[in-house]
């Protein structure tokens, strides 16, 4: 039983990592007033870019950096559509997802062609601050990116609530007219937020290809971007609750994998649906009190 629980907790942290990064990225976007439904495609682009660059250069860190930069470009493209041109945010986001997914698949075939054997790379090594200590050692034997993702939660909280940039960002997301009247450049803040958000989303996707899998497959994101959209509502746009929401989904996902491994006599489809059912339930319960930024989905035009 102890081994089961230790493995479950360790797996929960790993599964939650891309969700933490992706949801924090969406947090920046939505706090500025932009709903970025391009998160699924941006995470997919990050997974591909990170893998391709790491494969071609032999450097995992260069792969991660390239993924973040690609995600930032996707965020800036989203900004062009929604901030500068004022296009509907739902349509723009879905278009970004389709575009980024298509570009990634096209470039994958250009670079790697059709192979009978899936190309792979060495992954980031796991580290454990507790060494071989019983229980704590195995639980905290995690990828460095997992620790970075968790450390980003208090950092994002500090940035949003303890810095002038965070104040301007929240003001733009709540009342861009008043922020503009106070001398805040609404367009620049939204572009910066979308670029930061896109970089974090892509880092979440890159975690899957550079750490967890060591390869790139077409279904690598598997709807995690849409889960992040739900988690941001569950978190009520608060960084600390992003962590708990990601751990909830990660824990249920890890649990269903381990229940399958133990040979539990339940329909296979139920195991697959369990994390999403729990997420929907949590969203229904928490969504009643959720308070979105007042200017979310509202394009801003200077008078």
């Amino acid at each position: 039983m102890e081994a089961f629980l230790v493995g479950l907790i360790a797996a929960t942290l790993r599964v939650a990592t891309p969700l933490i990064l992706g949801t924090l990225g969406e947090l920046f976007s939505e706090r500025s007033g932009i709903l970025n439904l391009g998160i699924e495609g941006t995470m997919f682009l990050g997974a591909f870019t990170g893998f391709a660059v790491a494969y071609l250069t032999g450097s995992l860190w260069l792969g991660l950096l390239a993924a973040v930069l690609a995600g930032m470009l996707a965020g800036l493209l989203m900004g062009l559509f929604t901030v500068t041109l004022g296009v509907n945010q739902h349509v723009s986001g879905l278009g970004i997802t389709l575009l980024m997914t298509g570009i990634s698949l096209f470039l994958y075939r250009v670079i790697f062609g059709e192979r009978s054997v899936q190309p792979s790379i060495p992954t980031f090594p796991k580290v454990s601050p507790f060494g071989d200590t019983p229980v704590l050692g195995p639980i905290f034997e995690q990828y460095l990116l997992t620790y970075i993702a968790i450390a980003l939660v208090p950092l994002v909280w500090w940035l949003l609530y303890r810095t002038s940039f965070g104040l301007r960002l929240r003001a733009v997301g709540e009342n861009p007219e008043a922020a503009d009247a106070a001398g805040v450049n609404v367009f620049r803040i939204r572009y910066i937020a979308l670029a930061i958000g896109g970089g974090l989303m892509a880092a979440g996707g890159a975690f899957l290809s550079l750490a967890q899998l060591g390869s790139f497959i077409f279904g690598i994101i598997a709807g995690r971007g849409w889960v992040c959209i739900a988690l941001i509502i569950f978190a009520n746009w608060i960084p600390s609750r992003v962590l708990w929401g990601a751990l909830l989904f990660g824990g249920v996902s890890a649990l269903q994998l381990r229940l399958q491994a133990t040979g539990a006599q339940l329909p296979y489809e139920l195991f697959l649906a369990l994390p999403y059912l729990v997420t929907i339930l949590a969203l229904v319960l928490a969504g009643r009190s959720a308070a979105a930024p007042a200017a979310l989905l509202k394009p801003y035009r200077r008078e």
Side-chain angles (χ1 to χ4, degrees):
M1 186 62 179
E2 178 182 304
F4 178 86
L5 290 175
V6 168
L8 177 63
I9 296 171
T12 296
L13 293 172
R14 289 192 294 273
V15 175
T17 300
L19 299 176
I20 295 171
L21 292 169
T23 309
L24 287 177
E26 186 66 26
L27 175 67
F28 273 99
S29 299
E30 295 195 18
R31 275 291 188 175
S32 73
I34 305 295
L35 173 65
N36 190 352
L37 293 182
I39 180 172
E40 181 83 4
T42 303
M43 292 181 74
F44 193 85
L45 176 67
F48 162 72
T49 304
F51 173 77
V53 173
Y55 183 89
L56 296 173
T57 65
S59 171
L60 294 171
W61 289 108
L62 276 180
L64 179 62
L65 176 61
V68 170
L69 291 176
M72 294 178 72
L73 289 176
L76 292 175
L77 181 60
M78 182 68 179
L80 173 64
F81 291 144
T82 59
V83 179
T84 302
L85 301 179
V87 178
N88 180 279
Q89 294 179 18
H90 293 101
V91 175
S92 300
L94 294 175
I96 291 292
T97 285
L98 294 174
L99 178 62
M100 296 301 112
T101 301
I103 288 176
S104 299
L105 294 178
F106 171 73
L107 291 177
Y108 180 86
R109 289 187 172 92
V110 169
I111 296 173
F112 300 102
E114 297 291 339
R115 300 190 182 192
S116 57
V117 178
Q118 190 76 22
S120 62
I121 56 174
T123 62
F124 279 107
K126 293 180 181 178
V127 295
S128 176
F130 295 98
D132 297 328
T133 305
V135 181
L136 292 179
I139 287 177
F140 291 99
E141 186 181 6
Q142 301 290 338
Y143 301 105
L144 182 59
L145 291 179
T146 298
Y147 289 110
I148 292 175
I150 294 173
L152 281 174
V153 174
L155 179 61
V156 170
W157 178 89
W158 174 81
L159 186 64
L160 284 178
Y161 296 102
R162 291 293 184 270
T163 67
S164 58
F165 170 76
L167 177 61
R168 292 194 296 269
L169 177 65
R170 288 183 288 119
V172 165
E174 294 293 339
N175 193 329
E177 292 83 3
D180 195 0
V184 177
N185 189 322
V186 174
F187 301 107
R188 182 170 62 187
I189 291 294
R190 286 186 168 178
Y191 265 105
I192 293 173
L194 286 166
I196 295 174
L200 288 171
M201 295 170 190
F207 171 83
L208 297 170
S209 59
L210 298 179
Q212 202 161 34
L213 297 179
S215 63
F216 177 80
I217 56 176
F218 296 160
I220 191 169
I221 303 302
R224 287 178 176 85
W226 309 122
V227 172
C228 291
I229 298 292
L231 290 180
I232 199 67
I233 301 172
F234 170 81
N236 201 18
W237 294 267
I238 299 173
S240 59
R241 291 186 61 176
V242 167
L243 175 62
W244 302 123
L247 289 175
L248 172 64
F249 183 89
V252 178
S253 296
L255 177 62
Q256 64 95 4
L257 291 173
R258 272 151 181 74
L259 287 177
Q260 289 185 63
T262 60
Q265 298 302 311
L266 290 173
Y268 174 74
E269 293 80 7
L270 179 60
F271 284 120
L272 294 179
L274 185 60
Y276 302 97
L277 293 175
V278 172
T279 301
I280 292 172
L281 177 61
L283 182 60
V284 169
L285 295 176
R288 298 176 182 177
S289 60
L296 186 64
L297 290 172
K298 298 177 182 178
Y300 176 65
R301 288 289 178 267
R302 298 193 71 177
E303 297 295 335

